[in-house]
């Protein structure tokens, strides 16, 4: 049921850094063909930084760790790829489906292969209005349970960032800011919220990870890495776009697992593609940092 590609296996055996990558960002987060170019470039950046990438997905029912180019193409272009969170894994495998894994499912699968680092764009969190809808991403629960460090650019303000921070505190997940005291908000470098700890170098972050593991404190660590300045989007502008997209989602009664992909798509359309460019650049930035940390971890 599980296949790990040889390059990843060798890297793990030889103590070379490995960085896991999710695939929902490819299938449900970006349009084709930009998504495929992104997936390949992220892998290239990880290699250029001395590590091995492991993009994770379910291919015809097989949990696959380290996709081939052909498998990347399937996930990027196929119309009926499932969005797979933890609750969907067993079904996708049992029914021989193609599935793209979210942050939560990717963490869980990476852990099965003993991979410690993971890079993505943004994580799921507590949705605005969650006090009524109960819409809290499985990503947060997985961060509380699974010993993986996730590098992201914060979370989009389609979510309630304050409640997301509170939830992570309850779950015992430390939120690290890479060279920032402020929680990044995906398209913008800062939000009004503080991270828990600001660390300045990949080596310092690796030291924190090693310390948490030595103390046998279970659970993930969230490293938030602000989008590079030159690609960040004006806060007021993106906030108004996000509000429009949220209103449309409400009017169209979009709920559950469909809401995040719907919002990502609408934000891209409403910004005329500016948000996609920002999204691509922040992912590359996160891949580089994750590889730098992974290299320190195996030292
Ligand atoms: N946020 C983004 N881009 C994404 C996602 C979130 O900015 O592509 C994807 C990730 O795969 C994440 C998932 O794990 O959406 C969260 O979905 P939900 O909100 O349904 O838990
Ligand atoms: Mn949800």
């Amino acid at each position: 049921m599980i296949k790990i590609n040889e390059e990843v296996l060798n890297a793990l055996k030889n103590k070379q850094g490995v960085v896991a990558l999710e695939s929902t960002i490819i299938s449900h987060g970006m349009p084709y063909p930009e998504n495929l170019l992104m997936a390949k470039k992220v892998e290239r950046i990880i290699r250029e930084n001395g590590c091995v990438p492991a993009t994770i997905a379910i291919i015809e029912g097989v949990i696959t760790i380290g996709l081939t180019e052909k498998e990347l193409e399937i996930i990027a272009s196929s119309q009926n790829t499932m969005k797979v969170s933890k609750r969907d894994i067993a079904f996708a495998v049992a029914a021989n489906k193609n599935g793209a894994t979210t942050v939560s499912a990717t963490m869980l699968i990476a852990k099965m292969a003993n991979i410690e680092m993971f890079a993505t764009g943004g994580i799921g969190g507590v949705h605005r209005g969650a006090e009524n809808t109960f819409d809290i991403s499985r990503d947060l629960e997985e961060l509380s349970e699974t010993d993986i460090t996730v590098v992201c650019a914060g979370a989009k303000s389609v979510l309630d960032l304050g409640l997301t921070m509170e939830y992570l505190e309850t779950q015992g997940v430390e939120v690290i800011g890479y060279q920032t005291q402020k929680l990044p908000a995906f398209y913008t470098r800062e939000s009004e919220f503080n991270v828990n700890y600001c660390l300045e170098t990949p080596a310092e972050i690796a030291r924190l990870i090693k310390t948490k593991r030595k103390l046998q404190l279970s659970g993930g660590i969230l490293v938030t890495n602000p989008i590079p300045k030159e690609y960040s989007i004006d806060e007021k502008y993106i906030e108004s776009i996000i509000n429009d997209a949220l209103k449309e989602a409400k009017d169209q009664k979009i709920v559950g697992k469909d809401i995040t992909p719907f919002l990502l798509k609408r934000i891209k359309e409403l910004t005329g593609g500016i948000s996609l460019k920002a999204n691509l650049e922040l992912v590359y930035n996160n891949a580089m940092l994750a590889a730098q940390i992974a290299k320190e971890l195996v030292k």
Side-chain angles (χ1 to χ4, degrees):
M1 289 187 276
I2 305 180
K3 191 175 87 188
I4 309 183
N5 91 20
E6 215 169 284
E7 190 193 8
V8 174
L9 272 180
N10 284 333
L12 289 165
K13 211 166 57 199
N14 301 325
K15 299 242 171 289
Q16 191 184 357
V18 177
V19 177
L21 299 160
E22 58 145 327
S23 45
T24 294
I25 187 176
I26 306 173
S27 63
H28 292 72
M30 291 178 189
Y32 184 83
E34 287 91 339
N35 59 354
L36 182 61
L37 297 174
M38 180 277 301
K40 288 183 180 171
K41 184 162 171 186
V42 164
E43 293 200 347
R44 200 158 65 234
I45 289 169
I46 288 168
R47 286 204 172 86
E48 283 166 3
N49 283 276
C51 295
V52 169
T55 304
I56 291 174
I58 296 174
I59 306 290
E60 289 177 14
V62 179
I63 295 174
T64 307
I65 302 174
L67 299 188
T68 61
E69 275 204 27
K70 208 171 145 224
E71 290 165 343
L72 275 181
E73 173 91 41
I74 293 171
I75 293 295
S77 61
S78 151
Q79 291 303 309
N80 45 19
T81 300
M82 288 176 64
K83 173 180 167 184
V84 174
S85 157
K86 180 178 182 180
R87 62 127 194 246
D88 311 296
I89 296 175
F91 173 83
V93 171
N96 295 327
K97 299 283 187 194
N98 286 330
T101 49
T102 62
V103 169
S104 73
T106 306
M107 286 180 76
L108 213 153
I109 294 166
K111 179 69 195 168
M112 293 175 180
N114 278 322
I115 299 171
E116 292 181 275
M117 282 304 301
F118 176 179
T120 185
I123 59 158
V126 181
H127 280 262
R128 293 193 201 173
E131 61 274 27
N132 295 316
T133 62
F134 271 42
D135 192 349
I136 299 172
S137 176
R138 174 70 204 171
D139 292 355
L140 299 186
E141 219 58 38
E142 213 54 59
L143 276 164
S144 88
E145 290 176 11
T146 304
D147 302 357
I148 305 267
T149 301
V150 179
V151 178
C152 70
K156 288 197 179 70
S157 60
V158 298
L159 303 173
D160 188 318
L161 298 185
L163 292 187
T164 300
M165 286 298 286
E166 291 295 346
Y167 200 89
L168 287 168
E169 182 193 357
T170 305
Q171 300 294 337
V173 178
E174 48 276 76
V175 179
I176 306 304
Y178 180 59
Q179 301 178 345
T180 179
Q181 300 281 355
K182 290 286 173 192
L183 178 70
F186 201 84
Y187 297 121
T188 55
R189 290 177 57 83
E190 291 187 352
S191 67
E192 62 183 291
F193 302 98
N194 291 323
V195 296
N196 304 135
Y197 304 103
C198 167
L199 295 180
E200 298 293 339
T201 64
E204 277 181 46
I205 297 171
R207 186 179 157 87
L208 178 115
I209 297 168
K210 286 183 184 173
T211 304
K212 181 161 176 166
R213 300 304 167 227
K214 266 193 205 139
L215 291 169
Q216 298 187 3
L217 291 164
S218 66
I221 296 169
L222 190 64
V223 175
T224 60
N225 186 25
I227 182 172
K229 249 192 213 92
E230 57 272 37
Y231 301 110
S232 68
I233 302 179
D234 179 73
E235 192 187 330
K236 286 216 176 73
Y237 169 69
I238 198 70
E239 191 59 30
S240 83
I241 298 268
I242 285 172
N243 282 325
D244 290 348
L246 281 166
K247 186 166 179 306
E248 285 182 27
K250 201 171 173 194
D251 291 346
Q252 295 179 38
K253 300 199 167 50
I254 313 271
V255 292
K257 72 195 274 189
D258 297 329
I259 187 135
T260 299
F262 175 88
L263 293 172
L264 295 177
K265 182 161 175 280
R266 282 306 286 150
I267 292 167
K268 185 210 150 220
E269 289 163 359
L270 292 168
T271 59
I274 291 174
S275 67
L276 178 59
K277 176 76 182 150
N279 200 343
L280 293 169
E281 295 298 334
L282 66 81
V283 174
Y284 302 148
N285 194 43
N286 294 343
M288 188 168 71
L289 178 59
Q292 289 167 347
I293 300 169
K295 255 180 105 170
E296 291 291 333
L297 274 179
V298 294
K299 267 189 187 163

